[in-house]
Amino acid sequence: NAGVTQTPKFQVLKTGQSMTLQCAQDMNHEYMSWYRQDPGMGLRLIHYSVGAGITDQGEVPNGYNVSRSTTEDFPLRLLSAAPSQTSVYFCASSLGTGAEKLFFGSGTQLSVL
Amino acid sequence: GQNIDQPTEMTATEGAIVQINCTYQTSGFNGLFWYQQHAGEAPTFLSYNVLDGLEEKGRFSSFLSRSKGYSYLLLKELQMKDSASYLCAVRDFSDQAGTALIFGKGTTLSVSS
């Protein structure tokens, strides 16, 4: 049981480049989400999904797109990378949205130059 | 909106007891989680409270008072490996938050010998 798998672990981009952070879970979780973590700011929610075909914005959605075509996958797209998007990104999933705990991926360290 | 406050840093010595406080303001409270995050790693689940009172799990306990918007995480018999960040997170079912899990900025605990 792999849990939540995030790729890549590290990425360096130039300003203006686009890329997709991949996230997959094999636990049949309905709920998936993306957070970014910056020093002194804690984990901030970017986008989330409560099931295939359903996505919604979190606290800091600007500059990011998501889609949820399958239950397993929830990719995060950076359309035109900016230095302000330098951060550690975590994908997380849970069985539901009540008492169910979030399981986190191992994170992606992204640097935008 | 939501507001979650916890101390930025705490220090303690091996074998001691430490209490990490968390206060929150939300529109539609539906549960509070505590996560542990070691440097460079993903957060891992510690505890969940939805009703008032104390939940005990080994050396860790978590308390919730919904009327006061207050929780604490109690760590007993501290060990060096407990040096980590401790994240308080609230599930908020208000219209603005949807079904998101909102995190505080975290408390960095340093345990010394």
Side-chain angles (χ1 to χ4, degrees):
Chain A
N1 190 343
V4 181
T5 303
Q6 264 185 258
T7 56
K9 288 190 180 297
F10 302 95
Q11 183 70 50
V12 179
L13 294 176
K14 294 181 180 178
T15 297
Q17 286 184 316
S18 63
M19 80 158 295
T20 300
L21 305 185
Q22 301 292 344
C23 177
Q25 53 87 14
D26 61 359
M27 298 176 282
N28 202 31
H29 284 175
E30 289 296 322
Y31 181 85
M32 296 186 74
S33 55
W34 278 101
Y35 289 88
R36 60 177 289 175
Q37 188 172 38
D38 304 290
M41 299 297 293
L43 283 162
R44 292 183 292 170
L45 184 65
I46 304 172
H47 286 284
Y48 64 95
S49 168
V50 297
I54 306 169
T55 63
D56 208 343
Q57 296 181 350
E59 180 185 359
V60 288
N62 292 339
Y64 307 95
N65 274 0
V66 292
S67 60
R68 185 93 180 270
S69 56
T70 67
T71 299
E72 294 78 20
D73 299 298
F74 191 46
L76 178 72
R77 297 182 186 85
L78 281 70
L79 307 174
S80 177
S84 61
Q85 293 179 304
T86 293
S87 187
V88 179
Y89 292 84
F90 288 101
C91 177
S93 72
S94 64
L95 194 59
T97 57
E100 297 86 354
K101 61 186 179 183
L102 277 179
F103 291 83
F104 283 83
S106 57
T108 298
Q109 173 70 62
L110 175 68
S111 296
V112 183
L113 307 177
Chain B
Q2 313 89 29
N3 190 34
I4 302 172
D5 288 318
Q6 47 182 132
T8 304
E9 294 179 333
M10 298 184 71
T11 60
T13 54
E14 267 188 309
I17 299 173
V18 70
Q19 178 175 311
I20 302 174
N21 296 324
C22 172
T23 59
Y24 63 88
Q25 294 175 322
T26 62
S27 303
F29 176 82
N30 199 39
L32 187 143
F33 295 76
W34 284 96
Y35 282 80
Q36 180 189 59
Q37 185 178 25
H38 286 101
E41 298 182 6
T44 55
F45 170 80
L46 284 178
S47 68
Y48 170 72
N49 297 71
V50 68
L51 299 177
D52 291 351
L54 189 68
E55 295 283 340
E56 296 185 86
K57 190 183 296 184
R59 294 189 298 114
F60 293 3
S61 303
S62 58
F63 171 83
L64 175 67
S65 169
R66 289 172 296 170
S67 62
K68 295 182 179 178
Y70 169 68
S71 173
Y72 68 73
L73 180 69
L74 193 71
L75 292 75
K76 303 175 185 176
E77 302 171 11
L78 281 173
Q79 303 174 9
M80 297 293 285
K81 67 178 182 179
D82 297 328
S83 293
S85 287
Y86 291 86
L87 314 178
C88 175
V90 173
R91 194 173 294 284
D92 189 336
F93 277 2
S94 67
D95 289 339
Q96 289 178 321
T99 57
L101 190 61
I102 307 301
F103 284 81
K105 295 180 181 180
T107 299
T108 300
L109 174 66
S110 299
V111 180
S112 59
S113 57

